[in-house]
Amino acid sequence: AIAAAGALLRYARATQSRSLPHVQALLVERETSFLGMDTATRRNLELTETLRGQPAPTLCSLLDNCVTTMGSRLLRHALHHPWRDPAVPSARHAAIAILLDDGGQTLRLLRQCLRGFADVERIASRIALQTARPRDLSSLRDSLHRLAEVRALLAAAEAPLLSEMRTQVATPAAALDLLQRAIRPEPAALLRDGGVIASGFDAEFDELRALNDNCSAFLLAIEARERERTGIANLKVEYNRVHGFYIEVTHANTVKVPDDYRRRQTLKNAERYLTPELKAFEDKALSAQERALAREKVLYEGVLDRLQSDLPQLQQVAQAIATLDLLAGFAESALLRNYCRPFFVMRPGLEIEGGRHPIVESQFTNGQAFIANDTQLGDERRLLLITGPNMGGKSTYMRQTALIALLAHVGSYVPATRAVIGPLDQIFTRIGAADDLAGGRSTFMVEMTEAATILHHASERSLVLMDEVGRGTSTFDGMALAFAICRHLLEKNRCLTLFATHYFEMTLLAHEYPELANVHLDAVEHGQRIVFLHAVEEGPANQSYGIQVAALAGIPSSVLKAARRQLREFEQRAAINPLQPDLFAAALSTAAEASDPVLLPAIEKLSALDPDQLTPREALDALYQLKALLRACE
């Protein structure tokens, strides 16, 4: 790390051809300081870029209510660096609570004040590299002048973080005084154009500028005197950068030109002349202009040199303003979107009531309401096995849980009615289907690579999202992998897991592992159509509604009819001669083939069942009863 830092500093000095006075220290960011997130997790959660590579809608674009560019940069950094230690985010939560305590009045005044701040951080860097432009310095001066107003707004703030920010926004008096004396209120955009240094800052420069500024009055005086002397009413005394000063007379009046006029240029309709007096003034005026520009350049560079000693304080001010802007932006989001303050506890788990997906919720229009859901994870409930229809909201539910935990560790309020967050060290996601053809990896290979990362690195304090593991290969292979991965997460990793699947056989794992709970997203079927309720309920789902979702996607009706016929054929074939031994049928098939008289109660119970009259819930209960009878026979 030391060698890399040295190489980087040397490269920066070489490219800038100067020292780097604004680089005050090197800070080491350790992975253990932040909530761990790999590349796949950052992509799947769409923190600063959508899955399609667009800048919006993302979590960053949603929360970026910042009124300064410094605040926006800090927000982007914060979303990728959530603090693992709850002390920092808790301090931010306390500051946001103070900003919202008076109904948002302090918040509105603070945001209005911050709106006029320039990018002090970037300007400080340009000052250090001697590349700051005149308007950079004028905007810096105006920003420093507003620091007193910021301190006044924070005078009554009781939150420790806001008190710290009030101290850090102390006005650099020497820098402000220098900028007020040296730089014009509205300087020119470029130094070479002049009009940058204020009057009264340097006596020599004021003298040169006065000579240059009085040029117009002198020319008007010469013009009036020459008109009277020659009797030429339309005589003009003018200046341009190519030919300098001249007296212009139309051809009709050339006969009135005095003998002391010397021809300088002939035009189509006029002649231009020069007199000894005008020539002498020209030499003096042009010389004064050049010397004034040279003197102004020297003075401007001197201002930049004198500001070097104030760089540490300017950088401190920039960081404080960025933090205040970030906190004000978080508070604004909480106020507008009804976010709540999360709380950290030492016991493991997540308790979220009324959780919502912030990005999805923001896309709702025309009075639509996002269906809020609860999430309960802890020592006795470490894995939620989520079943339900396609398009039912499983991925949204999983992502919103991760985003709420992430926002809490960033220091923002969260989209929920209540959120209690236990200790977390990492967030992992295995969501969606994507290949990496350039890297030679199929969709299934990408899926397994991400799953392997989770199985190798997830700990008891990790939050893991697993979506449809094993769907990229055959049914046997996929189900076997899904079972094995789920068991490993429960037995070895012991992490807090949301595991979405369409393998309904996996729901029976709840009988084997008490820390696994079945939940499902509900849906209602009307004829051949389906209505998604997006509500998370306890227990397993009864079906996936795949054909109904295909109808919503626009699959032709002929294809849908054929699919339904094929589905019935598969179901009938499975009832007669199952293609695969699953958890539901294994014990019953063994019992049905047995001839031992002690198994007769189970066989009689099975014979008395009418499958066509059973609801899915009754069928599942009957299976449990048959299983109990078989266990009694053993």
Side-chain angles (χ1 to χ4, degrees), residues 73-115:
R73 279 199 303 273
L74 182 58
L75 170 65
R76 188 180 186 88
H77 180 272
L79 291 178
H80 285 286
H81 297 81
W83 291 94
R84 185 178 300 186
D85 183 358
V88 175
S90 294
R92 291 178 176 177
H93 296 152
I96 294 171
I98 292 297
L99 292 176
L100 296 175
D101 192 43
D102 57 356
Q105 182 178 357
T106 301
L107 172 63
R108 287 189 291 272
L109 293 175
L110 179 61
R111 283 173 58 82
Q112 182 178 356
C113 180
L114 294 177
R115 198 178 299 276

Side-chain angles (χ1 to χ4, degrees), residues 19-79:
S19 62
L20 307 172
H22 61 301
V23 179
Q24 300 294 323
L26 297 179
L27 302 178
V28 179
E29 289 188 348
R30 302 190 182 277
E31 291 185 5
T32 55
S33 300
F34 304 104
L35 207 61
M37 294 185 293
D38 58 13
T39 303
T41 299
R42 299 174 195 274
R43 181 185 67 248
N44 290 329
L45 295 182
E46 298 181 303
L47 300 182
T48 53
E49 188 177 89
T50 67
L51 294 175
R52 296 184 178 182
Q54 301 298 317
T58 62
L59 188 62
C60 183
S61 67
L62 175 69
L63 297 177
D64 193 1
N65 298 318
C66 300
V67 294
T68 70
T69 52
M70 297 179 290
S72 296
R73 279 199 303 273
L74 182 58
L75 170 65
R76 188 180 186 88
H77 180 272
L79 291 178

Side-chain angles (χ1 to χ4, degrees), residues 353-367:
E353 296 179 7
R356 314 186 300 276
H357 193 296
I359 304 173
V360 176
E361 182 185 33
S362 69
Q363 303 301 305
F364 281 20
T365 56
N366 301 325

Side-chain angles (χ1 to χ4, degrees), residues 46 52 78 83 97 106 149 169 213 216 231 294 325 328 375 393 401 411 423 444 448-450 486 490 547 574 591 603:
E46 298 181 303
R52 296 184 178 182
W83 291 94
T106 301
E149 183 180 351
V169 294
D213 293 343
S216 298
D325 195 16
T375 303
T401 303
F444 184 67
M448 288 297 101
T449 301
E450 294 177 358
C486 188
L490 284 166
I547 294 178
I603 297 175

